[in-house]
């Protein structure tokens, strides 16, 4: 779930409803949208073909129009373990991630962290506006 306006605007419209993105398959890969165009002095996404399900480097492509980019093209992935638990794994991103107050990524020397329902994920530096809440248990949700 997007927790900031920047997070909400970063999500592609075809992948979210009311700021929520439902993960249907694991691993779920997130990264920065690189298919963009400048229109009237602002950055706009060039929509990818398809029905909202994207095959490729990422499952969801986030817009990061900032002067200092927070989100790498291949930023992180969310995995479901065999016991039903979840973890986030940094994919070698430049700025890393934060789970609640715990940093992961190359600079932290730890590349993954366990995820629990309600954890706050920050993609990028601690100051990044790209914050999301991980919500587990939407197995029966119909989108």
């Amino acid at each position: 779930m997007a927790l900031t306006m920047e997070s909400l605007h970063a999500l592609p419209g075809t992948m979210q409803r009311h700021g929520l993105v439902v993960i249907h398959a694991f691993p779920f890969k997130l990264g920065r949208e690189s298919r963009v165009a400048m229109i009237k002095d602002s950055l706009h996404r060039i929509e990818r073909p398809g029905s909202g399900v994207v095959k490729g480097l990422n499952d969801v492509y986030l817009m990061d129009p900032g002067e200092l980019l927070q989100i790498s093209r291949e930023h992180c992935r969310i995995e479901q373990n065999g016991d039903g638990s979840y973890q986030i794994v940094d994919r070698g991103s430049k700025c890393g991630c934060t789970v609640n107050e715990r940093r992961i990524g190359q600079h932290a020397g730890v590349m993954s962290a366990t995820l629990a329902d309600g954890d706050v994920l920050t993609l990028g530096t601690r100051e990044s506006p790209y914050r999301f809440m991980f919500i587990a248990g939407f197995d029966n949700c119909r989108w």
Side-chain angles (χ1 to χ4, degrees), residues 31-78:
R32 185 181 77 242
E33 177 62 83
S34 60
R35 295 173 48 127
V36 296
M38 284 297 275
I39 302 172
K40 296 183 182 177
D41 295 327
S42 65
L43 204 57
H44 294 270
R45 180 188 312 272
I46 298 173
E47 289 297 330
R48 293 172 183 268
S51 61
V53 177
V54 179
K55 304 249 187 228
L57 290 177
N58 300 304
D59 295 299
V60 67
Y61 290 85
L62 301 168
M63 287 288 290
D64 184 355
E67 282 184 41
L68 300 173
L69 295 173
Q70 295 284 336
I71 302 170
S72 294
R73 286 188 185 180
E74 296 181 50
H75 199 91
C76 63
R77 70 180 178 267
I78 297 174

Side-chain angles (χ1 to χ4, degrees), residues 14-114:
T14 58
M15 294 290 294
Q16 59 101 3
R17 181 177 293 169
H18 305 294
L20 294 171
V21 173
V22 177
I23 300 174
H24 295 284
F26 295 95
F28 186 78
K29 299 173 284 184
L30 297 101
R32 185 181 77 242
E33 177 62 83
S34 60
R35 295 173 48 127
V36 296
M38 284 297 275
I39 302 172
K40 296 183 182 177
D41 295 327
S42 65
L43 204 57
H44 294 270
R45 180 188 312 272
I46 298 173
E47 289 297 330
R48 293 172 183 268
S51 61
V53 177
V54 179
K55 304 249 187 228
L57 290 177
N58 300 304
D59 295 299
V60 67
Y61 290 85
L62 301 168
M63 287 288 290
D64 184 355
E67 282 184 41
L68 300 173
L69 295 173
Q70 295 284 336
I71 302 170
S72 294
R73 286 188 185 180
E74 296 181 50
H75 199 91
C76 63
R77 70 180 178 267
I78 297 174
E79 300 176 345
Q80 185 176 35
N81 300 318
D83 62 1
S85 65
Y86 301 94
Q87 70 176 355
I88 185 169
V89 179
D90 187 89
R91 295 167 66 197
S93 69
K94 177 79 173 171
C95 296
C97 304
T98 303
V99 178
N100 299 323
E101 295 298 318
R102 183 175 178 211
R103 293 288 298 154
I104 67 167
Q106 294 176 8
H107 299 296
V110 177
M111 298 303 286
S112 66
T114 301

